[in-house]
Amino acid sequence: MRVLIDARCPYCRALGRALEALDLGKALKVEPLQEAQDLPQEELLRELHVLEEGRIHRGYGALLALGRKIPLLWPLYPLLLLGQVGGLGERLYQAFARRRPRA
Protein backbone atom coordinates (compact mmCIF):
# COMPACT_ATOMS: atom_id res chain seq x y z
CA MET A 1 0.00 0.00 0.00
CA ARG A 2 1.46 3.37 -1.04
CA VAL A 3 0.66 6.50 0.96
CA LEU A 4 1.38 9.72 -0.92
CA ILE A 5 2.02 12.73 1.30
CA ASP A 6 2.95 16.34 0.53
CA ALA A 7 6.62 16.56 1.51
CA ARG A 8 6.29 20.35 1.80
CA CYS A 9 3.49 20.21 4.40
CA PRO A 10 4.55 19.79 8.06
CA TYR A 11 1.21 18.13 8.95
CA CYS A 12 1.58 15.65 6.09
CA ARG A 13 5.16 14.81 7.07
CA ALA A 14 4.04 14.26 10.68
CA LEU A 15 1.24 11.98 9.46
CA GLY A 16 3.75 10.02 7.37
CA ARG A 17 6.06 9.56 10.35
CA ALA A 18 3.14 8.49 12.58
CA LEU A 19 1.93 5.96 10.00
CA GLU A 20 5.42 4.49 9.65
CA ALA A 21 5.67 4.14 13.44
CA LEU A 22 2.25 2.44 13.65
CA ASP A 23 2.94 0.14 10.71
CA LEU A 24 4.61 -2.69 12.61
CA GLY A 25 4.08 -5.13 9.73
CA LYS A 26 5.72 -2.73 7.25
CA ALA A 27 2.73 -2.92 4.89
CA LEU A 28 2.94 0.78 3.97
CA LYS A 29 5.27 2.70 1.74
CA VAL A 30 5.02 6.38 2.64
CA GLU A 31 6.39 8.54 -0.15
CA PRO A 32 6.32 12.19 -1.24
CA LEU A 33 3.61 12.92 -3.76
CA GLN A 34 6.13 15.14 -5.53
CA GLU A 35 7.92 11.97 -6.67
CA ALA A 36 4.79 10.20 -7.93
CA GLN A 37 4.89 10.02 -11.70
CA ASP A 38 1.70 8.04 -12.19
CA LEU A 39 -0.88 10.62 -10.96
CA PRO A 40 -1.51 14.34 -11.63
CA GLN A 41 0.28 16.52 -9.05
CA GLU A 42 -2.63 18.97 -8.81
CA GLU A 43 -4.98 16.17 -7.73
CA LEU A 44 -2.46 14.77 -5.27
CA LEU A 45 -2.02 18.15 -3.59
CA ARG A 46 -5.76 18.44 -2.82
CA GLU A 47 -6.03 15.44 -0.50
CA LEU A 48 -4.31 12.37 0.89
CA HIS A 49 -3.98 9.49 -1.59
CA VAL A 50 -3.55 5.82 -0.72
CA LEU A 51 -2.89 3.36 -3.54
CA GLU A 52 -3.92 -0.20 -2.78
CA GLU A 53 -3.93 -3.10 -5.25
CA GLY A 54 -4.96 -0.99 -8.23
CA ARG A 55 -7.46 1.10 -6.25
CA ILE A 56 -7.02 4.75 -5.32
CA HIS A 57 -8.43 5.98 -2.00
CA ARG A 58 -8.68 9.76 -1.59
CA GLY A 59 -9.33 12.04 1.36
CA TYR A 60 -11.46 10.49 4.06
CA GLY A 61 -11.57 7.25 2.08
CA ALA A 62 -7.78 7.11 2.39
CA LEU A 63 -8.08 7.38 6.17
CA LEU A 64 -10.61 4.53 6.15
CA ALA A 65 -8.25 2.38 4.05
CA LEU A 66 -5.41 3.06 6.49
CA GLY A 67 -7.66 2.25 9.45
CA ARG A 68 -8.44 -1.13 7.90
CA LYS A 69 -4.82 -1.92 7.03
CA ILE A 70 -2.92 -0.99 10.20
CA PRO A 71 -3.77 -3.22 13.19
CA LEU A 72 -2.86 -0.54 15.74
CA LEU A 73 -5.57 1.68 14.19
CA TRP A 74 -8.28 -0.98 14.36
CA PRO A 75 -9.69 0.36 17.67
CA LEU A 76 -10.32 3.71 15.92
CA TYR A 77 -11.83 2.16 12.79
CA PRO A 78 -15.42 2.06 14.15
CA LEU A 79 -15.18 5.81 14.81
CA LEU A 80 -13.96 6.37 11.26
CA LEU A 81 -16.93 4.36 9.99
CA LEU A 82 -19.29 6.54 12.05
CA GLY A 83 -17.78 9.52 10.27
CA GLN A 84 -19.35 8.24 7.06
CA VAL A 85 -22.84 8.87 8.47
CA GLY A 86 -24.15 11.98 6.78
CA GLY A 87 -20.73 12.65 5.24
CA LEU A 88 -19.46 14.27 8.44
CA GLY A 89 -16.02 12.64 8.26
CA GLU A 90 -15.50 13.78 4.66
CA ARG A 91 -16.59 17.35 5.48
CA LEU A 92 -14.23 17.50 8.47
CA TYR A 93 -11.40 16.03 6.41
CA GLN A 94 -11.93 18.57 3.59
CA ALA A 95 -12.07 21.49 6.05
CA PHE A 96 -8.75 20.39 7.54
CA ALA A 97 -7.18 19.72 4.12
CA ARG A 98 -8.10 23.23 2.89
CA ARG A 99 -6.40 24.82 5.90
CA ARG A 100 -3.17 22.81 5.94
CA PRO A 101 0.10 24.66 5.29
CA ARG A 102 1.17 24.73 1.65
CA ALA A 103 4.59 25.52 0.28
Side-chain angles (χ1 to χ4, degrees):
M1 179 179 276
R2 290 171 61 199
V3 181
L4 303 178
I5 62 161
D6 183 354
R8 296 182 187 124
C9 168
Y11 298 161
C12 301
R13 290 192 311 268
L15 173 65
R17 287 190 303 273
L19 290 172
E20 288 175 332
L22 292 170
D23 181 25
L24 301 179
K26 304 301 176 204
L28 302 180
K29 182 179 180 189
V30 177
E31 56 189 80
L33 65 84
Q34 287 82 359
E35 295 175 9
Q37 302 298 318
D38 47 351
L39 294 168
Q41 293 288 306
E42 188 176 308
E43 245 183 72
L44 295 175
L45 285 168
R46 274 195 290 269
E47 55 194 348
L48 179 65
H49 281 65
V50 172
L51 307 158
E52 177 185 34
E53 299 171 3
R55 295 187 355 225
I56 300 173
H57 306 280
R58 295 174 179 88
Y60 194 72
L63 295 179
L64 286 167
L66 291 166
R68 280 190 308 271
K69 186 71 170 182
I70 301 172
L72 289 177
L73 293 179
W74 289 350
L76 297 176
Y77 188 66
L79 294 174
L80 289 170
L81 288 174
L82 278 176
Q84 289 184 300
V85 176
L88 178 62
E90 182 64 32
R91 287 195 307 275
L92 289 172
Y93 175 86
Q94 290 301 327
F96 182 79
R98 282 191 302 273
R99 289 171 180 77
R100 72 177 176 84
R102 311 227 184 215

XYZ file of all heavy atoms in Angstrom:
821
model
N 0.854 -1.167 0.000
C 0.000 0.000 0.000
C 0.903 1.232 0.000
O 1.779 1.362 0.851
C -0.903 -0.034 1.240
C -1.821 1.138 1.366
S -2.895 1.053 2.837
C -4.213 0.050 2.224
N 0.688 2.127 -0.959
C 1.456 3.371 -1.045
C 0.637 4.516 -0.462
O -0.532 4.664 -0.778
C 1.768 3.711 -2.503
C 2.772 2.791 -3.147
C 2.888 3.028 -4.641
N 3.319 4.374 -4.991
C 3.139 4.921 -6.190
N 2.559 4.236 -7.166
N 3.568 6.140 -6.444
N 1.284 5.318 0.376
C 0.661 6.503 0.957
C 1.429 7.697 0.417
O 2.630 7.821 0.647
C 0.727 6.480 2.502
C 0.058 7.708 3.080
C 0.107 5.207 3.050
N 0.734 8.557 -0.317
C 1.383 9.719 -0.922
C 1.096 10.950 -0.074
O -0.052 11.330 0.113
C 0.865 9.928 -2.348
C 1.043 8.736 -3.287
C 0.442 9.039 -4.647
C 2.504 8.359 -3.421
N 2.163 11.550 0.447
C 2.023 12.732 1.296
C 2.736 13.918 0.647
O 3.667 13.747 -0.129
C 2.581 12.482 2.707
C 4.079 12.168 2.634
C 1.824 11.378 3.427
C 4.804 12.357 3.928
N 2.301 15.114 1.004
C 2.948 16.335 0.525
C 4.192 16.573 1.370
O 4.107 16.891 2.565
C 1.975 17.504 0.641
C 2.544 18.807 0.104
O 3.744 18.850 -0.263
O 1.783 19.792 0.044
N 5.358 16.414 0.782
C 6.624 16.561 1.506
C 6.867 18.000 1.961
O 7.737 18.244 2.797
C 7.783 16.084 0.634
N 6.111 18.947 1.438
C 6.293 20.352 1.803
C 5.368 20.781 2.945
O 5.448 21.898 3.416
C 6.043 21.229 0.579
C 7.050 20.968 -0.511
C 6.823 21.880 -1.702
N 7.703 21.497 -2.776
C 7.298 21.170 -3.992
N 6.019 21.201 -4.295
N 8.158 20.819 -4.914
N 4.472 19.886 3.359
C 3.493 20.207 4.404
C 3.924 19.565 5.723
O 4.075 18.343 5.796
C 2.123 19.674 3.983
S 0.887 19.682 5.296
N 4.121 20.367 6.781
C 4.551 19.788 8.055
C 3.532 18.805 8.635
O 3.911 17.809 9.248
C 4.746 21.000 8.972
C 4.093 22.141 8.293
C 3.990 21.817 6.843
N 2.234 19.061 8.459
C 1.207 18.133 8.951
C 1.291 16.802 8.217
O 1.171 15.736 8.822
C -0.196 18.699 8.777
C -0.486 19.978 9.520
C -1.538 20.779 9.146
C 0.293 20.398 10.604
C -1.838 21.958 9.816
C 0.013 21.575 11.270
C -1.060 22.346 10.874
O -1.348 23.509 11.540
N 1.500 16.863 6.911
C 1.583 15.649 6.095
C 2.820 14.831 6.458
O 2.750 13.603 6.564
C 1.601 16.000 4.613
S 0.136 16.911 4.084
N 3.940 15.519 6.663
C 5.157 14.808 7.068
C 4.969 14.144 8.419
O 5.395 13.008 8.635
C 6.357 15.757 7.074
C 6.798 16.194 5.685
C 8.153 16.898 5.710
N 8.279 17.940 6.712
C 8.019 19.231 6.518
N 7.596 19.644 5.326
N 8.172 20.105 7.485
N 4.307 14.836 9.350
C 4.044 14.260 10.675
C 3.131 13.043 10.546
O 3.348 12.028 11.217
C 3.426 15.305 11.593
N 2.120 13.131 9.688
C 1.238 11.981 9.458
C 2.041 10.811 8.901
O 1.877 9.674 9.349
C 0.112 12.347 8.494
C -0.780 11.175 8.059
C -1.548 10.603 9.239
C -1.723 11.616 6.950
N 2.918 11.075 7.954
C 3.746 10.022 7.367
C 4.612 9.334 8.414
O 4.699 8.105 8.457
N 5.225 10.130 9.293
C 6.059 9.556 10.354
C 5.215 8.720 11.319
O 5.625 7.636 11.735
C 6.803 10.660 11.111
C 7.950 11.279 10.331
C 8.794 12.189 11.196
N 8.035 13.267 11.815
C 7.786 14.461 11.256
N 8.260 14.731 10.050
N 7.109 15.379 11.906
N 4.028 9.223 11.663
C 3.142 8.487 12.575
C 2.704 7.166 11.952
O 2.701 6.124 12.624
C 1.928 9.342 12.927
N 2.350 7.197 10.679
C 1.928 5.963 10.004
C 3.056 4.948 9.956
O 2.845 3.755 10.185
C 1.428 6.274 8.592
C 0.104 7.019 8.506
C -0.180 7.433 7.070
C -1.034 6.181 9.073
N 4.258 5.406 9.676
C 5.416 4.493 9.645
C 5.656 3.871 11.020
O 5.982 2.687 11.131
C 6.664 5.223 9.152
C 6.611 5.523 7.674
C 7.781 6.355 7.177
O 8.358 7.146 7.963
O 8.101 6.217 5.995
N 5.476 4.660 12.082
C 5.667 4.139 13.437
C 4.585 3.122 13.803
O 4.859 2.139 14.490
C 5.673 5.290 14.438
N 3.359 3.345 13.350
C 2.245 2.442 13.653
C 2.248 1.186 12.791
O 1.632 0.185 13.145
C 0.914 3.174 13.460
C 0.613 4.293 14.444
C -0.616 5.073 13.983
C 0.415 3.742 15.845
N 2.937 1.235 11.681
C 2.942 0.137 10.705
C 3.977 -0.917 11.097
O 5.021 -1.044 10.472
C 3.221 0.694 9.308
C 3.219 -0.365 8.239
O 2.564 -1.418 8.415
O 3.880 -0.149 7.201
N 3.666 -1.695 12.107
C 4.612 -2.695 12.610
C 4.886 -3.793 11.588
O 5.967 -4.363 11.562
C 4.092 -3.296 13.919
C 3.859 -2.297 15.051
C 3.311 -3.012 16.279
C 5.115 -1.521 15.381
N 3.906 -4.090 10.749
C 4.081 -5.130 9.727
C 4.726 -4.633 8.450
O 4.917 -5.386 7.504
N 5.068 -3.347 8.416
C 5.718 -2.728 7.248
C 4.928 -2.967 5.960
O 5.479 -3.284 4.920
C 7.164 -3.213 7.095
C 8.007 -2.966 8.328
C 8.058 -1.499 8.672
C 8.824 -1.257 9.964
N 8.441 -0.021 10.613
N 3.609 -2.753 6.047
C 2.732 -2.922 4.891
C 2.610 -1.637 4.070
O 2.102 -1.659 2.959
C 1.342 -3.367 5.352
N 3.072 -0.515 4.638
C 2.939 0.780 3.968
C 4.258 1.236 3.372
O 5.331 0.957 3.904
C 2.482 1.855 4.957
C 1.186 1.652 5.706
C 0.935 2.827 6.635
C 0.027 1.468 4.754
N 4.131 1.990 2.300
C 5.270 2.701 1.741
C 4.849 4.164 1.663
O 4.048 4.542 0.802
C 5.624 2.158 0.357
C 6.823 2.843 -0.243
C 7.172 2.286 -1.598
C 8.377 3.030 -2.138
N 8.640 2.684 -3.524
N 5.336 4.957 2.606
C 5.018 6.383 2.638
C 6.016 7.087 1.737
O 7.222 6.936 1.903
C 5.081 6.934 4.078
C 4.817 8.430 4.092
C 4.093 6.196 4.983
N 5.497 7.854 0.783
C 6.393 8.536 -0.149
C 5.858 9.917 -0.504
O 4.653 10.161 -0.460
C 6.609 7.689 -1.399
C 5.361 7.299 -2.129
C 5.631 6.283 -3.225
O 5.758 5.089 -2.906
O 5.707 6.693 -4.380
N 6.755 10.840 -0.853
C 6.323 12.186 -1.241
C 5.517 12.152 -2.539
O 5.917 11.494 -3.504
C 7.632 12.944 -1.456
C 8.699 12.113 -0.846
C 8.204 10.706 -0.843
N 4.413 12.847 -2.541
C 3.606 12.920 -3.764
C 4.367 13.604 -4.887
O 4.110 13.358 -6.062
C 2.269 13.619 -3.494
C 2.282 15.105 -3.099
C 2.342 16.025 -4.296
C 1.070 15.413 -2.268
N 5.339 14.438 -4.525
C 6.132 15.140 -5.530
C 6.939 14.173 -6.389
O 7.351 14.527 -7.490
C 7.057 16.156 -4.857
C 6.348 17.375 -4.311
C 5.714 17.178 -2.939
O 5.765 16.104 -2.355
N 5.089 18.225 -2.423
N 7.165 12.962 -5.910
C 7.919 11.969 -6.670
C 7.026 11.009 -7.449
O 7.524 10.181 -8.213
C 8.826 11.179 -5.724
C 9.904 12.031 -5.097
C 10.732 11.283 -4.079
O 10.603 10.044 -3.966
O 11.514 11.945 -3.379
N 5.716 11.103 -7.242
C 4.786 10.196 -7.927
C 4.645 10.625 -9.390
O 4.271 11.747 -9.679
C 3.422 10.206 -7.245
N 4.951 9.727 -10.273
C 4.893 10.021 -11.699
C 3.594 9.526 -12.335
O 3.283 9.890 -13.460
C 6.082 9.366 -12.422
C 7.437 9.807 -11.896
C 7.673 11.291 -12.066
O 7.356 11.858 -13.092
N 8.224 11.924 -11.047
N 2.846 8.710 -11.600
C 1.699 8.043 -12.192
C 0.362 8.746 -11.957
O -0.665 8.275 -12.427
C 1.628 6.593 -11.709
C 1.805 6.456 -10.204
O 2.150 7.457 -9.550
O 1.615 5.347 -9.697
N 0.355 9.880 -11.239
C -0.884 10.616 -10.964
C -0.636 12.113 -11.110
O 0.473 12.585 -10.865
C -1.379 10.323 -9.548
C -1.839 8.900 -9.268
C -2.023 8.696 -7.771
C -3.139 8.605 -9.992
N -1.669 12.881 -11.468
C -1.510 14.336 -11.629
C -1.196 15.025 -10.289
O -1.903 14.822 -9.304
C -2.859 14.801 -12.173
C -3.647 13.586 -12.477
C -3.016 12.433 -11.801
N -0.147 15.823 -10.267
C 0.282 16.519 -9.049
C -0.827 17.390 -8.461
O -0.992 17.432 -7.245
C 1.516 17.381 -9.351
C 2.753 16.592 -9.695
C 3.338 15.896 -8.475
O 3.600 16.519 -7.470
N 3.537 14.596 -8.586
N -1.576 18.074 -9.294
C -2.630 18.966 -8.812
C -3.670 18.200 -7.986
O -4.104 18.650 -6.938
C -3.309 19.662 -9.994
C -4.274 20.745 -9.578
C -4.846 21.466 -10.783
O -4.058 21.925 -11.624
O -6.078 21.546 -10.858
N -4.044 17.031 -8.459
C -4.981 16.170 -7.731
C -4.380 15.707 -6.412
O -5.038 15.698 -5.375
C -5.300 14.927 -8.574
C -6.725 14.821 -9.027
C -6.942 13.522 -9.773
O -6.958 12.458 -9.125
O -7.102 13.590 -10.998
N -3.128 15.296 -6.456
C -2.457 14.771 -5.269
C -2.342 15.827 -4.171
O -2.404 15.507 -2.988
C -1.065 14.249 -5.628
C -1.008 13.048 -6.568
C 0.434 12.731 -6.922
C -1.686 11.844 -5.956
N -2.177 17.079 -4.562
C -2.024 18.152 -3.586
C -3.324 18.489 -2.863
O -3.308 19.088 -1.796
C -1.472 19.409 -4.263
C 0.014 19.353 -4.592
C 0.397 20.498 -5.522
C 0.846 19.373 -3.328
N -4.463 18.110 -3.427
C -5.756 18.438 -2.823
C -6.076 17.597 -1.597
O -6.706 18.084 -0.662
C -6.880 18.288 -3.835
C -7.094 19.514 -4.673
C -8.421 19.477 -5.387
N -8.450 18.489 -6.446
C -8.125 18.720 -7.704
N -7.760 19.921 -8.062
N -8.179 17.773 -8.598
N -5.684 16.311 -1.614
C -6.030 15.440 -0.496
C -5.107 14.228 -0.450
O -4.417 13.925 -1.421
C -7.493 15.000 -0.587
C -7.879 14.343 -1.874
C -9.373 14.224 -2.058
O -10.142 14.442 -1.092
O -9.802 13.917 -3.174
N -5.113 13.565 0.687
C -4.307 12.365 0.893
C -4.721 11.293 -0.100
O -5.911 11.100 -0.360
C -4.529 11.854 2.326
C -3.790 10.591 2.741
C -2.291 10.818 2.762
C -4.270 10.154 4.122
N -3.731 10.594 -0.652
C -3.985 9.489 -1.587
C -3.317 8.225 -1.063
O -2.160 8.262 -0.655
C -3.422 9.797 -2.979
C -4.270 10.698 -3.790
N -4.523 11.997 -3.460
C -4.952 10.461 -4.940
C -5.308 12.535 -4.370
N -5.584 11.624 -5.284
N -4.072 7.133 -1.074
C -3.552 5.819 -0.720
C -3.822 4.900 -1.900
O -4.964 4.806 -2.369
C -4.218 5.274 0.567
C -3.825 3.826 0.822
C -3.858 6.145 1.767
N -2.776 4.272 -2.397
C -2.893 3.362 -3.540
C -2.800 1.930 -3.024
O -1.816 1.572 -2.374
C -1.787 3.651 -4.549
C -1.715 5.123 -4.971
C -0.351 5.467 -5.498
C -2.774 5.424 -5.987
N -3.836 1.155 -3.311
C -3.918 -0.205 -2.781
C -4.417 -1.154 -3.857
O -5.564 -1.051 -4.292
C -4.868 -0.234 -1.579
C -5.093 -1.598 -0.999
C -6.135 -1.593 0.099
O -7.093 -0.812 0.040
O -5.988 -2.402 1.008
N -3.557 -2.043 -4.305
C -3.927 -3.096 -5.247
C -4.772 -2.567 -6.421
O -5.850 -3.064 -6.701
C -4.672 -4.205 -4.514
C -3.849 -4.857 -3.432
C -4.642 -5.808 -2.556
O -5.841 -6.020 -2.817
O -4.049 -6.326 -1.607
N -4.280 -1.536 -7.072
C -4.958 -0.990 -8.231
C -6.096 -0.034 -7.913
O -6.687 0.540 -8.811
N -6.405 0.157 -6.643
C -7.459 1.100 -6.246
C -6.821 2.357 -5.667
O -5.765 2.300 -5.040
C -8.383 0.468 -5.210
C -9.133 -0.701 -5.782
C -10.204 -1.300 -4.887
N -10.324 -0.777 -3.565
C -10.469 -1.522 -2.478
N -10.487 -2.825 -2.569
N -10.608 -0.970 -1.287
N -7.492 3.480 -5.869
C -7.024 4.748 -5.321
C -8.042 5.224 -4.299
O -9.220 5.391 -4.610
C -6.851 5.812 -6.424
C -5.833 5.345 -7.453
C -6.423 7.144 -5.808
C -5.729 6.265 -8.663
N -7.584 5.430 -3.065
C -8.425 5.982 -2.001
C -7.994 7.432 -1.807
O -6.804 7.720 -1.698
C -8.238 5.204 -0.702
C -8.458 3.735 -0.826
N -9.709 3.162 -0.847
C -7.580 2.712 -0.936
C -9.590 1.851 -0.955
N -8.303 1.554 -1.019
N -8.974 8.330 -1.730
C -8.680 9.761 -1.587
C -9.357 10.321 -0.347
O -10.452 9.897 0.006
C -9.194 10.526 -2.798
C -8.510 10.191 -4.089
C -9.211 10.912 -5.265
N -8.560 10.621 -6.512
C -8.846 9.579 -7.283
N -9.776 8.723 -6.913
N -8.197 9.387 -8.407
N -8.715 11.321 0.255
C -9.327 12.042 1.361
C -9.727 11.140 2.509
O -8.945 10.333 3.001
N -10.971 11.273 2.937
C -11.465 10.488 4.065
C -11.432 8.996 3.746
O -11.155 8.180 4.624
C -12.883 10.940 4.436
C -13.326 10.436 5.776
C -12.781 10.956 6.945
C -14.268 9.429 5.891
C -13.159 10.486 8.182
C -14.665 8.953 7.127
C -14.105 9.494 8.267
O -14.479 9.017 9.501
N -11.666 8.653 2.493
C -11.574 7.251 2.081
C -10.178 6.691 2.295
O -10.008 5.517 2.622
N -9.165 7.539 2.139
C -7.781 7.109 2.389
C -7.584 6.809 3.875
O -6.925 5.836 4.240
C -6.799 8.183 1.930
N -8.178 7.638 4.737
C -8.082 7.381 6.171
C -8.769 6.064 6.533
O -8.269 5.298 7.367
C -8.704 8.536 6.963
C -8.012 9.892 6.842
C -8.760 10.939 7.659
C -6.564 9.800 7.276
N -9.917 5.798 5.912
C -10.609 4.526 6.148
C -9.740 3.344 5.712
O -9.650 2.340 6.423
C -11.946 4.499 5.405
C -13.057 5.346 6.004
C -14.208 5.491 5.018
C -13.541 4.751 7.307
N -9.107 3.458 4.547
C -8.246 2.381 4.050
C -7.085 2.138 5.007
O -6.734 0.987 5.290
C -7.725 2.721 2.656
N -6.504 3.203 5.538
C -5.406 3.062 6.494
C -5.896 2.434 7.797
O -5.216 1.600 8.387
C -4.754 4.420 6.762
C -3.970 4.996 5.589
C -3.650 6.466 5.831
C -2.708 4.196 5.335
N -7.078 2.821 8.231
C -7.656 2.253 9.448
C -7.904 0.758 9.332
O -7.787 0.019 10.313
N -8.246 0.310 8.136
C -8.442 -1.132 7.895
C -7.116 -1.881 7.833
O -7.024 -3.033 8.222
C -9.175 -1.356 6.562
C -10.645 -1.160 6.601
C -11.304 -1.647 5.321
N -10.727 -1.111 4.097
C -11.094 0.006 3.502
N -12.068 0.733 4.003
N -10.518 0.402 2.388
N -6.083 -1.247 7.322
C -4.819 -1.918 7.027
C -3.886 -2.040 8.239
O -3.175 -3.026 8.373
C -4.103 -1.161 5.895
C -2.866 -1.820 5.381
C -3.209 -3.054 4.600
C -2.016 -3.615 3.876
N -2.357 -4.782 3.093
N -3.883 -1.045 9.108
C -2.924 -0.989 10.202
C -3.578 -1.494 11.491
O -4.463 -0.836 12.038
C -2.393 0.448 10.388
C -1.729 0.929 9.100
C -1.427 0.525 11.558
C -1.341 2.374 9.113
N -3.141 -2.645 11.993
C -3.770 -3.221 13.185
C -3.838 -2.280 14.394
O -4.829 -2.292 15.119
C -2.900 -4.450 13.486
C -2.375 -4.855 12.151
C -2.124 -3.556 11.429
N -2.823 -1.447 14.598
C -2.859 -0.536 15.741
C -3.938 0.534 15.606
O -4.307 1.176 16.594
C -1.489 0.112 15.956
C -0.399 -0.821 16.488
C 0.938 -0.094 16.582
C -0.784 -1.403 17.842
N -4.478 0.720 14.410
C -5.568 1.681 14.195
C -6.946 1.025 14.260
O -7.953 1.725 14.240
C -5.396 2.384 12.842
C -4.196 3.308 12.718
C -4.127 3.915 11.325
C -4.233 4.401 13.774
N -6.993 -0.293 14.351
C -8.282 -0.984 14.363
C -9.234 -0.492 15.453
O -10.431 -0.393 15.213
C -8.088 -2.489 14.437
C -7.547 -3.086 13.165
C -7.404 -2.472 11.956
C -7.051 -4.405 12.992
N -6.845 -3.335 11.038
C -6.623 -4.531 11.650
C -6.915 -5.496 13.838
C -6.087 -5.709 11.144
C -6.374 -6.668 13.333
C -5.975 -6.776 11.994
N -8.745 -0.152 16.662
C -9.691 0.358 17.673
C -10.378 1.660 17.249
O -11.490 1.942 17.683
C -8.809 0.585 18.908
C -7.653 -0.341 18.720
C -7.410 -0.371 17.227
N -9.730 2.445 16.389
C -10.317 3.709 15.916
C -11.213 3.527 14.693
O -11.987 4.422 14.352
C -9.203 4.708 15.569
C -8.310 5.140 16.713
C -7.200 6.035 16.206
C -9.116 5.835 17.786
N -11.102 2.386 14.048
C -11.827 2.164 12.792
C -13.343 2.331 12.937
O -13.967 2.964 12.076
C -11.463 0.801 12.206
C -12.008 0.582 10.819
C -11.560 1.355 9.757
C -12.983 -0.368 10.580
C -12.062 1.176 8.481
C -13.497 -0.554 9.310
C -13.024 0.214 8.266
O -13.530 0.047 7.013
N -13.969 1.829 14.011
C -15.423 2.064 14.145
C -15.781 3.547 14.177
O -16.813 3.958 13.640
C -15.783 1.362 15.452
C -14.737 0.314 15.620
C -13.475 0.926 15.044
N -14.926 4.361 14.795
C -15.176 5.807 14.808
C -15.072 6.394 13.407
O -15.855 7.286 13.032
C -14.205 6.508 15.750
C -14.345 6.170 17.232
C -13.224 6.807 18.034
C -15.696 6.601 17.750
N -14.094 5.907 12.644
C -13.964 6.370 11.258
C -15.201 5.987 10.455
O -15.681 6.767 9.634
C -12.702 5.792 10.612
C -11.370 6.337 11.112
C -10.212 5.510 10.556
C -11.217 7.796 10.743
N -15.716 4.793 10.694
C -16.929 4.365 9.994
C -18.116 5.250 10.364
O -18.924 5.593 9.503
C -17.250 2.902 10.306
C -16.338 1.866 9.675
C -16.685 0.476 10.188
C -16.421 1.910 8.154
N -18.211 5.628 11.635
C -19.291 6.536 12.051
C -19.198 7.874 11.321
O -20.216 8.519 11.072
C -19.239 6.772 13.558
C -19.867 5.708 14.424
C -19.645 6.022 15.901
C -21.342 5.552 14.127
N -17.983 8.273 10.994
C -17.784 9.525 10.268
C -18.393 9.516 8.879
O -18.585 10.570 8.277
N -18.713 8.332 8.377
C -19.354 8.241 7.060
C -20.831 8.632 7.118
O -21.405 8.999 6.107
C -19.234 6.827 6.505
C -17.841 6.470 6.078
C -17.801 5.091 5.457
O -18.147 4.109 6.086
N -17.371 5.034 4.215
N -21.420 8.547 8.302
C -22.838 8.868 8.466
C -23.047 10.344 8.151
O -22.440 11.222 8.754
C -23.325 8.551 9.898
C -24.771 8.983 10.091
C -23.155 7.071 10.196
N -23.854 10.607 7.179
C -24.147 11.979 6.780
C -22.977 12.715 6.164
O -23.037 13.925 5.995
N -21.885 12.009 5.867
C -20.732 12.652 5.241
C -19.929 13.537 6.168
O -19.100 14.330 5.720
N -20.142 13.402 7.480
C -19.459 14.265 8.442
C -17.939 14.109 8.378
O -17.203 15.101 8.378
C -19.950 13.978 9.866
C -19.283 14.788 10.965
C -19.555 16.277 10.754
C -19.762 14.331 12.326
N -17.461 12.881 8.311
C -16.021 12.644 8.258
C -15.383 13.308 7.044
O -14.327 13.940 7.149
N -16.028 13.168 5.894
C -15.504 13.780 4.661
C -15.488 15.299 4.779
O -14.516 15.951 4.376
C -16.326 13.340 3.458
C -15.821 13.878 2.139
C -14.426 13.388 1.761
O -14.045 12.249 2.110
O -13.703 14.151 1.097
N -16.553 15.884 5.329
C -16.587 17.347 5.481
C -15.492 17.835 6.425
O -14.834 18.845 6.154
C -17.962 17.798 5.960
C -19.025 17.709 4.884
C -20.284 18.477 5.228
N -20.865 18.143 6.520
C -21.708 17.129 6.745
N -22.066 16.342 5.748
N -22.199 16.926 7.944
N -15.295 17.114 7.534
C -14.234 17.500 8.472
C -12.858 17.346 7.821
O -11.990 18.212 7.983
C -14.316 16.659 9.742
C -15.489 16.957 10.669
C -15.562 15.927 11.786
C -15.378 18.360 11.228
N -12.672 16.246 7.096
C -11.396 16.034 6.408
C -11.130 17.175 5.423
O -10.029 17.734 5.399
C -11.376 14.687 5.673
C -10.112 14.546 4.877
C -8.965 14.047 5.464
C -10.038 14.995 3.561
C -7.772 13.986 4.759
C -8.859 14.936 2.847
C -7.735 14.434 3.448
O -6.560 14.390 2.753
N -12.117 17.521 4.598
C -11.931 18.570 3.594
C -11.647 19.923 4.242
O -10.828 20.695 3.743
C -13.153 18.650 2.668
C -13.296 17.462 1.753
C -12.095 17.260 0.848
O -11.436 18.197 0.415
N -11.801 15.994 0.564
N -12.320 20.220 5.353
C -12.073 21.486 6.053
C -10.628 21.545 6.537
O -9.952 22.572 6.400
C -13.038 21.641 7.221
N -10.131 20.441 7.076
C -8.749 20.386 7.538
C -7.780 20.486 6.360
O -6.798 21.223 6.403
C -8.504 19.095 8.326
C -7.118 18.999 8.873
C -6.761 19.683 10.015
C -6.154 18.237 8.230
C -5.480 19.610 10.525
C -4.869 18.154 8.726
C -4.532 18.841 9.880
N -8.069 19.747 5.290
C -7.179 19.725 4.120
C -7.055 21.115 3.492
O -5.980 21.492 3.033
C -7.679 18.712 3.093
N -8.138 21.869 3.477
C -8.100 23.225 2.888
C -7.236 24.173 3.714
O -6.695 25.124 3.191
C -9.508 23.791 2.759
C -10.282 23.252 1.595
C -11.561 24.054 1.360
N -12.453 24.077 2.515
C -13.376 23.161 2.789
N -13.534 22.122 1.986
N -14.151 23.268 3.847
N -7.114 23.905 5.004
C -6.400 24.815 5.897
C -4.953 24.387 6.187
O -4.251 25.084 6.901
C -7.168 24.949 7.202
C -8.440 25.736 7.025
C -9.303 25.666 8.265
N -10.534 26.407 8.126
C -11.598 25.999 7.447
N -11.588 24.856 6.816
N -12.689 26.747 7.389
N -4.532 23.265 5.636
C -3.172 22.808 5.936
C -2.151 23.730 5.277
O -2.434 24.363 4.258
C -2.969 21.362 5.499
C -2.880 21.180 4.004
C -2.598 19.716 3.655
N -2.595 19.531 2.237
C -1.538 19.752 1.454
N -0.419 20.173 1.972
N -1.616 19.554 0.157
N -0.943 23.826 5.873
C 0.104 24.661 5.290
C 0.520 24.158 3.916
O 0.649 22.956 3.702
C 1.271 24.536 6.279
C 0.696 23.961 7.508
C -0.521 23.196 7.120
N 0.709 25.065 3.009
C 1.171 24.725 1.653
C 2.447 25.494 1.368
O 2.612 26.621 1.794
C 0.129 25.103 0.615
C -1.248 24.597 0.984
C -1.904 23.947 -0.127
N -3.261 23.578 0.321
C -3.836 22.499 -0.075
N -3.257 21.702 -0.903
N -5.037 22.206 0.341
N 3.321 24.864 0.626
C 4.593 25.525 0.279
C 4.375 26.562 -0.798
O 3.466 26.535 -1.553
C 5.590 24.492 -0.181
